[in-house]
Amino acid sequence: EVQLVESGGGLVQAGGSLRLSCKSSGFTLDDYAIAWFRQTPGMEREGVSCLSIPDGGSTYYLDSVRGRFTISSDNAKHTVYLQKNNINPVYTAVYHCETLPRFGSSCQTLGYFKSWGRGNQVVVSS
């Protein structure tokens, strides 16, 4: 059974740093791409970053977070991380890590990803 458990959210001041973790089970990171999405009230959920180890470690970043967010993985821990630096209040959201657990899973198929966990709230204070 595919499961993704997010952790590391919370309250942080603008300009600070935060690292989210996404621990996977039921598959290995070699099998499928993992992406981080954010959800804010009244807005559509939005993919902010993706890592695809099956595609040689290719990555994707939303333009507005490129240079501030870094996605990485620790395969031995079955965990994908999203490091956020110099963050600002517009990044306040619930963050979900998501995957498409089937053949063809890549950062080019983000539209088919879904959440397998509960999400993690991040609040950035000004």
Side-chain angles (χ1 to χ4, degrees):
E1 180 186 3
V2 171
Q3 282 191 322
L4 296 171
V5 179
E6 303 95 340
S7 62
L11 177 64
V12 61
Q13 283 194 324
S17 298
L18 190 70
R19 189 176 78 164
L20 300 180
S21 300
C22 172
K23 184 170 176 61
S24 65
S25 61
F27 65 99
T28 73
L29 298 182
D30 290 338
D31 294 330
Y32 309 124
I34 300 287
W36 287 96
F37 285 73
R38 65 185 177 193
Q39 178 77 63
T40 55
M43 301 290 288
E44 287 191 13
R45 103 189 200 289
E46 181 176 46
V48 296
S49 187
C50 177
L51 171 66
S52 183
I53 294 175
D55 291 321
S58 66
T59 58
Y60 160 82
Y61 294 98
L62 189 67
D63 284 347
S64 62
V65 306
R66 187 172 291 115
R68 294 176 186 245
F69 289 8
T70 302
I71 193 167
S72 63
S73 68
D74 184 332
N75 288 12
K77 295 182 178 179
H78 307 289
T79 300
V80 173
Y81 303 101
L82 186 66
Q83 177 71 40
K84 306 177 180 182
N85 296 324
N86 192 22
I87 55 178
N88 65 57
V90 299
Y91 298 142
T92 293
V94 175
Y95 286 80
H96 295 262
C97 62
E98 304 192 7
T99 190
L100 174 64
R102 65 168 177 81
F103 178 76
S105 176
S106 78
C107 295
Q108 282 72 49
T109 58
L110 290 180
Y112 298 96
F113 279 44
K114 63 179 288 187
S115 175
W116 299 84
R118 301 178 64 179
N120 212 240
Q121 177 75 56
V122 172
V123 177
V124 184
S125 62
S126 56

